[in-house]
Amino acid sequence: MDWYPLWNSLRIALISCAAVFFLGIFAAYYIAKLPRVLKGVLDVVLTLPMVLPPTVVGYFLLLLFGAKRPLGLFFLEHFGVKLVMNWYSAIFASIVVAFPLMYRTARGAFESFDETLAWSAQTLGLSNTWIFWRVRMPYCRQGILAGTVLAFARALGEYGATSMIAGYTPGKTATIATTVYQLWRTNDEMGAMQWVLVDIVISAVVLLAVNLLERKQKQGGKRT
């Protein structure tokens, strides 16, 4: 059994999750402070990929990164890098579809933060950066971790946008999701079932992690 799809899916999901972690926290923290109207508009824009069909997301990514599009052509001519139909092309798709989950979860956690803790720290002369990492983030850690796990799961299971921007090439761009489809399409049901079972195991572990985080968050709320 060729384990490349598992390795490729994991590295795409991990890289995407790391990018989404910082992007989602940054966006959630600053957008939560904006006026209601502006915040509502940005919410719609940033969470739109969560409700759009994945193939539509993939289509927009092709319009942006395609070899004949301005951005894709720029990277190809100046750096010799093709932004589509490579294993790392799937990272772009995974970031776009996983970002809304991280953003919404992190924003909810920040909005539940007790601002009196930050005000108290400011009276002691502590910087906003120190307060953010040593007060706000620990307070919101359960929500942040839950968003991270959900974003990782979404990136790991991404298929529609990935198949459009990265395609399917065994040993190069294949992921678990695209491999299952290709094996089923070629009537290799046994091979497809093996990858389905692998995906089920990984998904079950992710769901258990989310449930544990939610349970800890509820227990922490009861203590306070």
Side-chain angles (χ1 to χ4, degrees):
M1 185 173 178
D2 180 15
W3 290 100
Y4 179 84
L6 175 60
W7 150 247
N8 194 37
S9 296
L10 288 175
R11 68 173 171 178
I12 290 170
L14 288 171
I15 295 172
S16 303
C17 188
V20 166
F21 176 81
F22 292 103
L23 291 173
I25 288 176
F26 177 83
Y29 176 68
Y30 286 102
I31 291 176
K33 297 181 176 182
L34 295 176
R36 181 178 299 178
V37 175
L38 182 57
K39 181 167 64 175
V41 173
L42 290 175
D43 271 347
V44 171
V45 174
L46 294 178
T47 58
L48 197 58
M50 189 166 59
V51 296
L52 284 175
T55 50
V56 174
V57 175
Y59 174 75
F60 280 117
L61 289 174
L62 285 175
L63 291 180
L64 184 63
F65 297 118
K68 296 182 179 180
R69 303 296 175 177
L71 185 59
L73 188 61
F74 174 82
F75 274 87
L76 186 61
E77 291 182 347
H78 292 80
F79 304 102
V81 176
K82 190 178 180 181
L83 297 181
V84 296
M85 300 304 159
N86 292 297
W87 74 266
Y88 51 81
S89 303
I91 296 175
F92 306 140
S94 297
I95 288 175
V96 172
V97 299
F99 174 84
L101 290 172
M102 184 67 203
Y103 163 70
R104 299 287 295 192
T105 308
R107 207 197 75 184
F110 287 143
E111 288 179 345
S112 66
F113 177 73
D114 186 358
E115 290 294 338
T116 58
L117 297 175
W119 298 335
S120 300
Q122 288 174 349
T123 60
L124 299 176
L126 299 174
S127 66
N128 290 331
T129 302
W130 193 96
I131 294 171
F132 179 83
W133 291 109
R134 302 299 295 273
V135 179
R136 195 180 299 271
M137 285 294 287
Y139 184 94
C140 303
R141 67 182 179 277
Q142 297 300 337
I144 298 296
L145 288 173
T148 304
V149 173
L150 288 172
F152 174 80
R154 183 66 184 87
L156 187 66
E158 163 55 30
Y159 169 75
T162 297
S163 63
M164 292 189 68
I165 194 173
Y168 173 79
T169 304
K172 292 184 178 181
T173 66
T175 63
I176 294 177
T178 57
T179 299
V180 169
Y181 175 75
Q182 290 297 326
L183 291 175
W184 169 81
R185 195 172 64 86
T186 56
N187 296 320
D188 186 358
E189 294 190 4
M190 183 62 68
M193 181 56 67
Q194 288 178 332
W195 282 112
V196 167
L197 293 175
V198 170
D199 202 24
I200 288 175
V201 171
I202 297 174
S203 300
V205 172
V206 170
L207 289 175
L208 286 173
V210 172
N211 290 336
L212 288 174
L213 290 172
E214 289 180 347
R215 185 178 302 174
K216 289 183 178 181
Q217 190 174 17
K218 291 178 180 179
Q219 291 174 350
K222 290 180 180 179
R223 293 195 190 99
T224 55

